[in-house]
Amino acid sequence: MQDYLKGLNERQRDAVLTTDGPLMIVAGAGSGKTKVLTTRIAHLMAKGVDSFNILALTFTNKAAAEMKERVEHILASREARNLYIGTFHSVFARILRAEAHRIGYPNSFTIYDTDDAKSVVKAVTGELNLDVQHYKPNVVYNRISSAKNALVGPKEYLTDYHLQQEDMRANRPMVGHIYDAYAKRCFKNGAMDFDDLLFKMYELLRGFPEVLSKYQHKFKYIMIDEYQDTNPAQYEIIKLLGAMHENVCVVGDDAQSIYSFRGATIENILQFQKDYDDVKVIKLEQNYRSTQNILTIANEVIKNNKGQIPKTLFTENATGEKIKLVRTMTDNDEGKYIADAIQELRLRNHYVNKDFAILYRTNAQSRSFEESLRRMNIPYTIFGGISFYQRKEIKDFLSYLRLIVNPKDEEALKRIINYPVRGIGKTSIDRAIANANERNISMWEVLEAAPMFGYKAGTLQAIEEFVMMIRSFRSMLETKNAYDIAFHVGKQTSFVKELFNDKSTEGVQRYENIQELLNSIKEFTETPGNEESGEVGDKSLGAYLQQIVLLTDSDQKDPNADTVKLMTIHAAKGLEYPVVFVGGLEESLFPNAMSLNTREELEEERRLFYVAITRAKGRLYLTYANTRYRFGQLVQSDASRFIAEIPEAYLDHSYAGGGVKNQSSSSRWGMGSAFERMQRGAPEQKERTIVSTLLNNAKPKEVSHTPSPNFIPSDISTLAVGQKVEHQKFGFGEIVTLEGSAHNPVATIRFDQNGEKKIMLNYAKLMVVG
DNA sequence: TCATAGCTACTTTTT
DNA sequence: GTAGCTATGA
């Protein structure tokens, strides 16, 4: 027997050795799913299947990277580099890029992230003369997104009776028209949003039989991870790609389906068995991860859901500790309790930081955990929240790069046309957009032909300078790699200089972020051919941009660092930790108030709880707080209904509140009259008020100044560094620097009474003194 | 044309 | 509590 088959149980081995024909693996939590998938790939290759013929799709980059690494490890060969292992989005982006010309897109098409997409929705809504307050971009975008995930295009949307009825009832009858305008605008911009990467992929395969045939031949073996999270678009694409060889292996667990809000449907699991004649189903039911206690309560909780694929998870692991259930007074106490517990567990049980994870329902909850960990000097990493690439300064800089690669990218253009300030204001921008729409050309083309559109002299000059600059950057595309161009852009625009001159804390941070971005681009250009990121050895700017937009926050942080990990339960799927804390187990937070409308929604919340529990290997802590700040307001909450679904025998109750640590409580919910809670809660509230008052008072006050009676503003051109000047409001001071463009000169002046300020000379009046 | 202060709406989860 | 937008003065 081959080495790699040792250490697999019978079912797992069966799954690995079943290489041909449709296969569905129902893999319970912690049952060695990734091990099976990676071994299966290794086995295929050992059998002589060419690595170029294997496709494995995951939902996260993290999962893809891990899979790749493990296959490489098993095979101890670089052959694994040729495997197509990646997320649905990244693999499809790569294929779309190669086939873009067929569907009228440039191969350098831009991928719009959610922010870009919402911004386009907002823009076209306005252009259709619809009220943006009523047609909220968020809401409209979500409807468009759902439509695409269900493979409903704009035409179909407008003629779909059901969808139209829904929009009528919501008093938003024009959503379909916005969708249509949005799709057209994206196409005109040479851009695809995340959903388009699936939607257009489907259209490509359906519309071009020769393309379909090409990829059907290429992908002889297809594997899908987390199958329960696929949406109809993904489902149909897999069906098309697998139709020729039918060597499709899907791995999933219906109990861990937590993405229905993104259009995922468990139906796909049932449908899979109907699509092929002879689907082999293998259930992996032995859990290798958790203690018996943890697994038992997980099973007990999930029992409350109806309609599951029947399976019994079991383990041969030790019984383990009881599950610790902790009630605290406030959300801050919850944070304190967890930080204390981590400290104590490290000392007593020789855990290290990276053995701990704190999981929560919403990102907003991370704050109190963060604070208490910081106070105790426990190193931590937060996963989730906004990605590095979504920070304003990063997006601005990237917008330059995006525009260079794809001048039709209107979103990028709008972000940077006047950043740094170059005298092209809102009025001019709006006009350029209107001109572009009238003539059905891109905004960039309007700018290139600016003299034809009658801008006033100053603006025209600014536009022409801008166009010249971008053109000069574009001329580097053919010959220079991503880093060289980015470096040049940083140097030529006053972008980086401006950030460098901003010495505020945030300014320094922003400057450092840009440094980091440049470093990452350098790393990209210097890393030898990484197939996953695009064509082999493609170090172009376009390749770089397409790759980073699909990265999430989790992909940029080191999961192996010795730090406590903080993340949402969604982000924790597929991960495991020796000690897991699940925070905020309160009604209307978890289960979340947004998900209490239907039985399906509640069941999804319960599956989410199931996922949270099953992340724990050895110890599990469930915590909840009596009072918590939400939307900046103190709210009272009851314990989550999920807690009551755990049999009492497995629980070990604690109470920790108002500075009292680990105080046991006899009753199930501990002490709990509303009156008592209010009393306990009060001091906390007071403390916050004091802090915020202090902060308000800490704001520097301006010392007012009455201008001299003979105040006459001096001519700007006479100003020089070192001169003493008088400002009407800020008083007397000395000019430290003179900068900015000729159109918009800016002086930094150190005032005697009011500190250093940046003054725009076009508007502020200054008089030279003495 | 631009920066600032004040107001509002938002937070469920993510590629 | 805060990001993002609008009205306002420079």
Side-chain angles (χ1 to χ4, degrees):
Chain A
M1 188 165 68
Q2 290 93 330
D3 268 357
Y4 54 79
L5 292 178
K6 290 175 188 158
L8 294 179
N9 68 33
E10 204 175 314
R11 299 249 183 102
Q12 290 175 330
R13 196 173 305 149
D14 190 15
V16 167
L17 296 176
T18 307
T19 54
D20 288 49
L23 172 66
M24 184 160 100
I25 304 171
V26 179
S31 61
K33 176 195 70 167
T34 311
K35 189 175 181 183
V36 167
L37 267 179
T38 51
T39 311
R40 196 167 181 274
I41 294 173
H43 177 64
L44 281 171
M45 289 173 63
K47 263 182 61 177
V49 175
D50 192 335
S51 55
F52 284 94
N53 295 136
I54 300 173
L55 169 69
L57 296 175
T58 66
F59 275 84
T60 64
N61 297 297
K62 214 180 338 185
E66 189 190 352
M67 206 182 283
K68 206 157 199 178
E69 196 179 301
R70 282 167 74 162
V71 174
E72 263 174 39
H73 186 249
I74 301 173
L75 290 173
S77 122
R78 302 301 285 162
E79 236 338 78
R81 299 170 83 213
N82 302 320
L83 292 162
Y84 251 79
I85 300 183
T87 63
F88 281 91
H89 290 86
S90 70
V91 168
F92 294 170
R94 181 177 163 188
I95 294 174
L96 282 167
R97 199 171 178 216
E99 313 290 340
H101 59 280
R102 296 180 197 265
I103 52 172
Y105 269 89
N107 68 2
S108 57
F109 66 84
T110 304
I111 299 171
Y112 278 167
D113 67 18
T114 314
D115 290 337
D116 296 320
K118 284 179 186 164
S119 165
V120 175
V121 169
K122 195 178 171 191
V124 297
T125 304
E127 287 167 25
L128 289 170
N129 289 320
L130 296 170
D131 180 10
V132 180
Q133 297 290 327
H134 183 60
Y135 285 90
K136 293 199 174 74
N138 231 327
V139 174
V140 177
Y141 172 76
N142 283 330
R143 276 195 76 73
I144 294 175
S145 174
S146 314
K148 280 187 191 165
N149 285 326
L151 295 173
V152 175
K155 296 281 165 310
E156 293 81 27
Y157 191 104
L158 283 163
T159 52
D160 186 302
Y161 176 77
H162 192 66
L163 288 170
Q164 290 302 316
Q165 284 298 308
E166 273 178 9
D167 284 339
M168 295 297 257
R169 249 175 279 140
N171 199 22
R172 278 189 281 262
M174 297 298 282
V175 170
H177 293 276
I178 301 176
Y179 181 11
D180 190 41
Y182 169 78
K184 285 186 175 133
R185 179 61 51 86
C186 285
F187 182 74
K188 196 179 114 183
N189 290 358
M192 295 192 199
D193 64 20
F194 287 147
D195 302 315
D196 282 331
L197 295 177
L198 309 178
F199 187 67
K200 303 280 182 199
M201 178 73 188
Y202 177 75
E203 287 192 327
L204 177 74
L205 296 179
R206 283 304 295 271
F208 300 87
E210 68 276 24
V211 177
L212 176 61
S213 166
K214 174 175 158 191
Y215 289 100
Q216 280 179 336
H217 275 94
K218 178 167 169 55
F219 299 130
K220 293 197 172 76
Y221 291 89
I222 299 175
M223 268 158 276
I224 313 292
D225 192 15
E226 308 280 11
Y227 189 66
Q228 75 282 354
D229 288 331
T230 51
N231 62 35
Q234 288 159 327
Y235 176 83
E236 292 297 334
I237 294 169
I238 298 162
K239 196 170 152 188
L240 284 172
L241 286 175
M244 177 172 281
H245 298 284
E246 296 203 346
N247 295 325
V248 181
C249 165
V250 301
V251 187
D253 177 8
D254 54 315
Q256 293 185 64
S257 161
I258 54 175
Y259 281 104
S260 73
F261 69 94
R262 257 172 59 191
T265 160
I266 316 185
E267 290 297 301
N268 288 349
I269 291 188
L270 308 171
Q271 192 60 40
F272 184 82
Q273 299 182 66
K274 291 181 193 155
D275 279 350
Y276 304 92
D277 297 331
D278 49 348
V279 177
K280 180 165 175 179
V281 178
I282 297 175
K283 288 183 192 172
L284 303 179
E285 293 171 305
Q286 179 166 4
N287 173 295
Y288 293 94
R289 179 187 294 154
S290 310
T291 64
Q292 285 191 16
N293 280 343
I294 291 169
L295 201 61
T296 304
I297 68 148
N299 282 333
E300 288 294 326
V301 166
I302 203 68
K303 253 191 212 164
N304 292 289
N305 276 6
K306 291 180 176 173
Q308 301 177 65
I309 296 179
K311 59 178 171 304
T312 352
L313 267 185
F314 68 97
T315 185
E316 291 171 358
N317 292 345
T319 312
E321 308 270 318
K322 282 188 175 183
I323 282 67
K324 198 123 176 147
L325 178 65
V326 185
R327 188 172 67 88
T328 67
M329 209 58 236
T330 66
D331 46 351
N332 279 344
D333 292 337
E334 184 184 41
K336 260 181 251 164
Y337 174 84
I338 292 179
D340 282 345
I342 290 175
Q343 186 86 299
E344 204 170 313
L345 284 165
R346 279 197 313 195
L347 289 172
R348 286 208 196 167
N349 301 66
H350 306 290
Y351 285 109
V352 293
N353 294 321
K354 65 173 175 179
D355 292 334
F356 301 96
I358 306 176
L359 310 181
Y360 34 80
R361 178 66 180 81
T362 67
N363 277 309
Q365 286 166 259
S366 68
R367 174 188 288 271
S368 65
F369 300 126
E370 235 183 306
E371 270 172 27
S372 41
L373 290 173
R374 197 176 318 143
R375 216 169 281 145
M376 305 266 294
N377 278 323
I378 300 171
Y380 63 89
T381 313
I382 298 186
F383 289 84
I386 67 157
S387 133
F388 178 73
Y389 297 102
Q390 289 180 36
R391 288 162 200 259
K392 186 188 173 300
E393 67 276 14
I394 299 297
K395 265 206 106 162
D396 288 337
F397 191 84
L398 288 175
S399 291
Y400 274 95
L401 306 183
R402 276 166 56 178
L403 188 65
I404 294 167
V405 170
N406 174 15
K408 296 200 293 188
D409 184 347
E410 192 173 300
E411 287 307 305
L413 176 53
K414 282 194 283 193
R415 277 189 91 97
I416 54 154
I417 185 166
N418 201 32
Y419 184 76
V421 175
R422 51 173 69 87
I424 307 173
K426 195 174 178 303
T427 325
S428 311
I429 295 171
D430 286 346
R431 211 159 108 202
I433 293 171
N435 288 334
N437 289 341
E438 265 163 36
R439 308 204 166 204
N440 200 27
I441 55 176
S442 69
M443 183 175 163
W444 170 252
E445 286 168 302
V446 171
L447 298 183
E448 280 190 309
M452 286 170 54
F453 295 96
Y455 293 94
K456 61 178 185 189
T459 312
L460 184 64
Q461 199 196 336
I463 291 175
E464 288 188 322
E465 277 170 21
F466 176 73
V467 168
M468 291 293 285
M469 181 177 72
I470 299 296
R471 274 192 184 150
S472 77
F473 294 154
R474 272 178 70 71
S475 70
M476 299 174 71
L477 270 180
E478 293 292 315
T479 52
K480 298 280 196 274
N481 69 27
Y483 178 73
D484 292 335
I485 300 177
F487 184 81
H488 185 73
V489 168
K491 224 174 155 184
Q492 290 296 306
T493 63
S494 44
F495 190 106
V496 177
K497 206 170 88 191
E498 207 156 282
L499 288 178
F500 181 73
N501 288 332
D502 184 350
K503 293 299 181 199
S504 64
T505 325
E506 306 86 54
V508 171
Q509 184 64 54
R510 281 197 283 268
Y511 179 75
E512 284 169 0
N513 285 340
I514 294 291
Q515 287 292 329
E516 199 180 324
L517 176 69
L518 284 168
N519 287 340
S520 86
I521 300 177
K522 189 166 186 128
E523 198 186 323
F524 168 81
T525 48
E526 285 173 1
T527 311
N530 177 354
E531 280 69 15
E532 212 258 316
S533 60
E535 284 73 28
V536 184
D538 186 348
K539 297 301 168 200
S540 71
L541 192 54
Y544 171 76
L545 291 173
Q546 290 214 345
Q547 163 186 277
I548 56 159
V549 68
L550 295 172
L551 294 179
T552 63
D553 182 64
S554 309
D555 301 320
Q556 296 143 45
K557 290 174 179 161
D558 178 10
N560 298 318
D562 186 28
T563 57
V564 175
K565 306 297 186 293
L566 278 70
M567 65 188 92
T568 63
I569 300 164
H570 283 89
K573 198 171 66 156
L575 306 176
E576 56 179 36
Y577 297 92
V579 184
V580 167
F581 298 89
V582 184
L585 277 164
E586 293 138 40
E587 277 297 302
S588 85
L589 180 60
F590 191 15
N592 196 273
M594 310 287 277
S595 309
L596 292 173
N597 306 316
T598 63
R599 177 170 194 96
E600 285 70 36
E601 284 177 350
L602 178 64
E603 293 204 346
E604 177 143 323
E605 293 286 301
R606 190 176 282 114
R607 288 193 296 269
L608 197 53
F609 186 45
Y610 176 81
V611 169
I613 294 171
T614 53
R615 296 311 96 199
K617 290 163 94 166
R619 289 169 199 265
L620 175 63
Y621 288 72
L622 307 175
T623 66
Y624 62 106
N626 285 340
T627 59
R628 167 183 306 276
Y629 275 88
R630 290 185 81 185
F631 303 101
Q633 274 202 319
L634 195 68
V635 293
Q636 301 273 332
S637 10
D638 297 323
S640 167
R641 68 187 74 186
F642 296 148
I643 292 176
E645 296 174 1
I646 303 171
E648 190 59 36
Y650 295 92
L651 292 176
D652 176 7
H653 294 264
S654 276
Y655 169 74
V660 188
K661 200 170 81 178
N662 289 2
Q663 182 192 326
S664 290
S665 157
S666 51
S667 88
R668 168 134 202 180
W669 311 119
M671 53 148 270
S673 82
F675 178 68
E676 259 178 308
R677 273 185 241 161
M678 302 251 290
Q679 284 207 316
R680 290 259 193 161
E684 184 65 27
Q685 202 175 12
K686 203 169 159 190
E687 198 179 296
R688 293 208 186 203
T689 320
I690 294 168
V691 172
S692 74
T693 316
L694 279 174
L695 284 175
N696 281 338
N697 288 346
K699 252 187 184 172
K701 262 194 186 147
E702 228 151 64
V703 179
S704 61
H705 169 77
T706 321
S708 317
N710 59 342
F711 189 94
I712 300 160
S714 309
D715 190 336
I716 299 170
S717 56
T718 65
L719 298 178
V721 172
Q723 263 176 342
K724 298 256 188 280
V725 291
E726 183 184 356
H727 184 277
Q728 278 184 303
K729 210 165 141 196
F730 300 137
F732 296 95
E734 183 184 328
I735 299 181
V736 182
T737 58
L738 278 173
E739 53 197 302
S741 63
H743 316 287
N744 189 31
V746 177
T748 309
I749 300 172
R750 195 185 306 119
F751 290 102
D752 299 342
Q753 311 256 8
N754 285 308
E756 262 186 33
K757 291 199 184 295
K758 287 198 177 231
I759 305 288
M760 308 198 39
L761 300 179
N762 283 351
Y763 310 107
K765 312 270 182 294
L766 287 177
M767 183 174 75
V768 179
V769 185

